[in-house]
Amino acid sequence: CLTNFWGMSFTTDKLRSLVRKWQSLIEAHCDVKTTDGYLLRMFCIGFTKRRQFQIRKTSYAQSAQIRAIRKKMVDIMTKEVSSVELIKAVEKFIPEYIGKDIQKACEGIYPLQNVFIRKVKILKAPKFDAAKLAEVHAGDSGAETGAKIARNAEAEAAAATTEQ
């Protein structure tokens, strides 16, 4: 059974576990077109972070800081996704590379934590092509399933002694 990416989102319990009192919640969204013709709507979420020796109870960002962070979120999401195909974009969503990039970029404005791409919707997909779908699934994942990996000599020797 061959499937195609049709969006992703955080589960409700994951989203609720991130939201806490005494910090600012910053959300941004943007529409991005990938190189292979998919139009994606991406939603990003991030939270302000307490400094290490902070005495103040709250960690609220000012509205100008929130606008600057939101602009940077949109810029990074657009830059990361518009230059690649859908498959590569999905590979960036799963390990949260884009969230980490946003966190590093916004450190100078206000330190952030728990920055994630929380939802991705496909607004427009190019005309369905069965050959393209088969090509996607015939790529990296199918060829190397169950392949042996090279180990160092010590591990080989230890495995040989335990088998005997």
Side-chain angles (χ1 to χ4, degrees), residues 132-143:
K132 178 80 173 160
L133 184 64
E135 177 188 315
V136 165
H137 285 283
D140 306 325
S141 59

Side-chain angles (χ1 to χ4, degrees), residues 137-158:
H137 285 283
D140 306 325
S141 59
E144 299 184 18
T145 304
K148 286 199 170 226
I149 57 169
R151 298 189 297 183
N152 61 15
E154 295 173 37
E156 290 287 336

Side-chain angles (χ1 to χ4, degrees), residues 9 19 41 48 50-51 85 103 118 121-123 158:
S9 65
V19 178
R41 179 166 290 156
T48 54
R50 288 176 61 96
R51 301 268 181 170
E85 291 183 354
Q103 201 167 325
R118 73 172 175 88
K121 294 180 181 178
I122 291 194
L123 300 179

Side-chain angles (χ1 to χ4, degrees), residues 34-96:
T34 61
T35 55
D36 53 352
Y38 286 88
L39 184 64
L40 305 178
R41 179 166 290 156
M42 299 170 41
F43 298 85
C44 182
I45 191 168
F47 302 90
T48 54
K49 178 182 176 183
R50 288 176 61 96
R51 301 268 181 170
Q52 191 173 8
F53 297 109
Q54 181 173 324
I55 296 167
R56 183 183 297 163
K57 178 181 178 183
T58 61
S59 298
Y60 296 135
Q62 295 175 341
S63 58
Q65 291 170 323
I66 290 173
R67 280 197 307 273
I69 289 170
R70 197 173 286 135
K71 184 179 185 321
K72 207 160 271 236
M73 282 178 171
V74 170
D75 291 345
I76 290 172
M77 286 191 292
T78 306
K79 180 185 66 136
E80 290 287 329
V81 176
S82 63
S83 60
V84 294
E85 291 183 354
L86 180 70
I87 307 309
K88 298 293 180 192
V90 173
E91 288 173 7
K92 288 182 179 185
F93 298 149
I94 305 302
E96 293 301 334

Side-chain angles (χ1 to χ4, degrees), residues 2 20 22 25 36 60 99-100 120 125 130 135 140 143 146 156:
L2 300 179
R20 291 198 312 243
W22 318 123
L25 181 150
D36 53 352
Y60 296 135
K100 289 178 183 124
V120 179
E135 177 188 315
D140 306 325
E156 290 287 336

